[in-house]
Amino acid sequence: MAEPLKSSRNSGNQNTSDTGVRGVRTTDQTDFIVNLTLDTEAHSPHLMRLIQLLVFGLGALSITLKSGYSISFLGIFLLGIGYLCYIRNVTLSPIARSLCWILLLLFVSQALAVWADHDGELKNLDRPSRLLMLALMLPLLCLYRPSFQSLMRGIGIGAIGAGTIALYDKFVRHLPRAFEDMMPIQSGDISLTLGLLSLCAMVWAYHQHKRSETLFYLAASGMGLLGSLLSGTRGGWILLPLILLAWYRLFLPWLNQRLKITLLGSVIALVLLSAVPQLGVTQRLHEAKQDMTLYLSGGDQNTSLGFRLQFWRSAWHSFIDKPLLGWGPQGVRHSQEQQYQAGELSQAAFDFNSHAHNQYLDQMAKYGVLGLGCLLALFLVPLNLAKHLLNSRISAQGYTLATATIIHVLATMDYCLSQAFLNHNSGIIFYPFLLVLLLLSAEAELEVAPAALDTKEPASD
């Protein structure tokens, strides 16, 4: 894995303005260097500031405002449409082209399933249309790149806001779970992502000897994780140890003994904190164990976990019946009705009329193998892009952003094991939108100057 280089701002051949639009020269050193030889003075600094404000808002407002994630999304979408109407030629960077193909492919696969579904309606393309909208933003975001500070500070503020709301819901309003006014599962998962990405930014700040920012991101990571715990979102914790292990492995070159001890103490404190009865974490785990026992013993099938197990079995059987294109978002109800009449689904589970509470199985049942393949591409291709960035000559900020991309993808893959995370408006906006911002911002940090390519020292952003 390549060691991050000195900041691109130290390179005499790098053209960087205060507005954040970077001009770099293409070279054979890597396939991921963007040709943005631009005269930055020709571009509006006011538009750049507006875009950076919207980028900041994605993280800062995702949970602190109801549907806050939509504000930045719609803002940049409208600016992107205006930009497309203004320009003659659309130019995308290598990473943006890859992301564009994935977004369009997933949208088309779902559109085909709706078209093939006799009961399908245009409203079933409402949420998938967010993918098309995001693809239309790419040309604008390739020119006006999201800055590291706007993106990560917004994420940190959002994590602190999420933890604060969770504490208020739990101990002031005395709600059973945090984020009851929104959706506990989705909000708890987003809070966890904000916390994990703040943890990435914390290591960067520590590595750059930025004491105040280190403390800020450390507090943000703790509040984000606390928000997830108080939401009682058990599914988000399934692969959390593996995600933290991946984070540790990727940042290992930057972790000295003192920071390792501090982080180990923080993990132990978090585990002990989760055992406090008032937080409700141990109660949620006990309920899961009890639900599983009831289900396996043939007792009550209509518990929280019992419903999920019924939904998973139902989705698998639906997929077996129509494996290629699936049943469609409406047609899957016919399959469920057949299963109910055959006694494979309880009355309560059938009346629930929900998704499979597993993104992979839900995709298989509704969109078949084609849909599952497109979904996996939305996860695996960005992982590969981030891996290439990590193995390229990149600044410390770029290294942090690429690592944050990997953590973001792994976390979302985890959420999708027990929740159809992308079936909700929050998920279909938050995951791919943040993914695009992270990757395009990281791509802009690639080093291309010949002097920089020979440098072995770490970055000093």
Side-chain angles (χ1 to χ4, degrees):
M1 187 176 295
E3 182 73 15
L5 296 177
K6 284 185 176 180
S7 170
S8 58
R9 288 187 289 276
N10 296 330
S11 170
N13 295 329
Q14 182 87 5
N15 177 24
T16 306
S17 75
D18 291 338
T19 63
V21 180
R22 291 188 173 91
V24 299
R25 293 181 299 168
T26 56
T27 163
D28 294 332
Q29 295 293 332
T30 171
D31 292 333
F32 294 89
I33 293 184
V34 192
N35 184 14
L36 290 176
T37 50
L38 303 170
D39 179 7
T40 58
E41 294 180 358
H43 301 282
S44 169
H46 301 293
L47 179 56
M48 172 53 76
R49 283 193 287 269
L50 177 58
I51 290 175
Q52 298 307 330
L53 179 62
L54 292 171
V55 167
F56 173 86
L58 173 63
L61 303 178
S62 287
I63 296 181
T64 51
L65 286 181
K66 192 171 184 179
S67 300
Y69 46 81
S70 298
I71 297 175
S72 296
F73 184 82
L74 290 175
I76 295 182
F77 171 70
L78 293 175
L79 292 174
I81 292 298
Y83 176 70
L84 287 174
C85 294
Y86 174 75
I87 63 172
R88 294 181 180 179
N89 298 315
V90 175
T91 303
L92 295 179
S93 69
I95 283 183
R97 282 198 297 270
S98 298
L99 292 172
C100 186
W101 278 113
I102 298 168
L103 294 170
L104 293 178
L105 191 62
L106 186 55
F107 172 77
V108 169
S109 71
Q110 300 202 12
L112 286 174
V114 171
W115 173 76
D117 185 355
H118 296 298
D119 297 323
E121 301 175 356
L122 284 178
K123 68 178 183 180
N124 297 129
L125 289 178
D126 177 43
R127 290 193 176 96
S129 69
R130 307 299 189 270
L131 302 171
L132 184 60
M133 294 169 67
L134 183 54
L136 294 174
M137 301 180 205
L138 291 174
L140 177 69
L141 291 173
C142 280
L143 181 59
Y144 294 94
R145 295 291 176 126
S147 75
F148 176 88
Q149 295 291 3
S150 298
L151 186 55
M152 300 311 290
R153 285 177 181 174
I155 287 171
I157 292 292
I160 292 174
T164 303
I165 292 172
L167 287 170
Y168 180 78
D169 284 349
K170 192 72 176 178
F171 298 110
V172 177
R173 301 178 65 193
H174 302 290
L175 297 177
R177 300 171 67 180
F179 311 119
E180 285 282 356
D181 292 343
M182 293 179 269
M183 188 173 181
I185 297 177
Q186 294 289 118
S187 298
D189 288 341
I190 291 175
S191 179
L192 181 56
T193 293
L194 295 175
L196 290 171
L197 299 193
S198 296
L199 198 59
C200 295
M202 185 274 293
V203 180
W204 166 82
Y206 184 86
H207 182 254
Q208 301 300 314
H209 309 292
K210 299 177 182 288
R211 182 178 177 83
S212 59
E213 290 192 61
T214 300
L215 295 175
F216 167 71
Y217 287 118
L218 181 61
S221 61
M223 291 294 278
L225 295 173
L226 181 62
S228 175
L229 288 175
L230 294 178
S231 72
T233 309
R234 298 170 298 199
W237 312 332
I238 296 174
L239 297 182
L240 183 57
L242 294 179
I243 295 170
L244 290 175
L245 182 61
W247 172 89
Y248 176 81
R249 175 66 183 85
L250 290 167
F251 278 120
L252 186 58
W254 289 3
L255 303 179
N256 59 27
Q257 197 65 26
R258 180 181 178 183
L259 185 56
K260 289 179 183 178
I261 294 174
T262 301
L263 292 172
L264 179 61
S266 300
V267 170
I268 294 173
L270 188 64
V271 172
L272 294 176
L273 184 64
S274 65
V276 176
Q278 287 78 5
L279 296 182
V281 177
T282 52
Q283 179 185 352
R284 293 285 293 164
L285 295 176
H286 176 71
E287 289 172 357
K289 180 180 178 181
Q290 196 173 36
D291 291 353
M292 178 63 77
T293 302
L294 286 171
Y295 185 86
L296 295 176
S297 64
D300 188 5
Q301 307 285 294
N302 298 325
T303 61
S304 175
L305 188 56
F307 275 130
R308 275 179 168 77
L309 294 172
Q310 290 188 70
F311 294 149
W312 295 350
R313 183 178 60 188
S314 170
W316 175 254
H317 289 167
S318 297
F319 167 70
I320 294 300
D321 291 339
K322 288 190 176 183
L324 186 58
L325 291 177
W327 289 80
Q330 295 294 329
V332 74
R333 284 297 285 169
H334 295 302
S335 175
Q336 292 170 353
E337 184 176 6
Q338 295 171 12
Q339 295 168 18
Y340 165 64
Q341 293 174 352
E344 297 174 2
L345 267 180
S346 68
Q347 176 76 53
F350 177 74
D351 292 342
F352 202 80
N353 189 19
S354 178
H355 50 71
H357 277 272
N358 178 299
Q359 191 73 57
Y360 310 101
L361 289 172
D362 194 74
Q363 201 80 3
M364 291 161 64
K366 294 176 180 176
Y367 307 109
V369 172
L370 178 62
L372 177 64
C374 293
L375 174 66
L376 292 176
L378 189 61
F379 293 137
L380 300 181
V381 172
L383 281 178
N384 189 54
L385 293 173
K387 178 185 174 183
H388 278 284
L389 287 170
L390 290 176
N391 291 325
S392 303
R393 297 289 185 170
I394 196 168
S395 71
Q397 289 183 346
Y399 188 92
T400 303
L401 290 163
T403 302
T405 300
I406 293 175
I407 298 303
H408 178 43
V409 174
L410 293 178
T412 306
M413 293 178 73
D414 175 22
Y415 308 151
C416 289
L417 289 173
S418 59
Q419 168 76 345
F421 185 76
L422 302 179
N423 284 26
H424 298 271
N425 203 43
S426 56
I428 199 62
I429 290 179
F430 181 79
Y431 170 70
F433 189 31
L434 181 55
L435 183 71
V436 165
L437 297 181
L438 287 168
L439 280 172
L440 291 185
S441 184
E443 187 183 36
E445 296 290 338
L446 284 166
E447 301 284 354
V448 294
L453 291 171
D454 295 331
T455 304
K456 299 296 184 181
E457 299 176 21
S460 56
D461 293 349

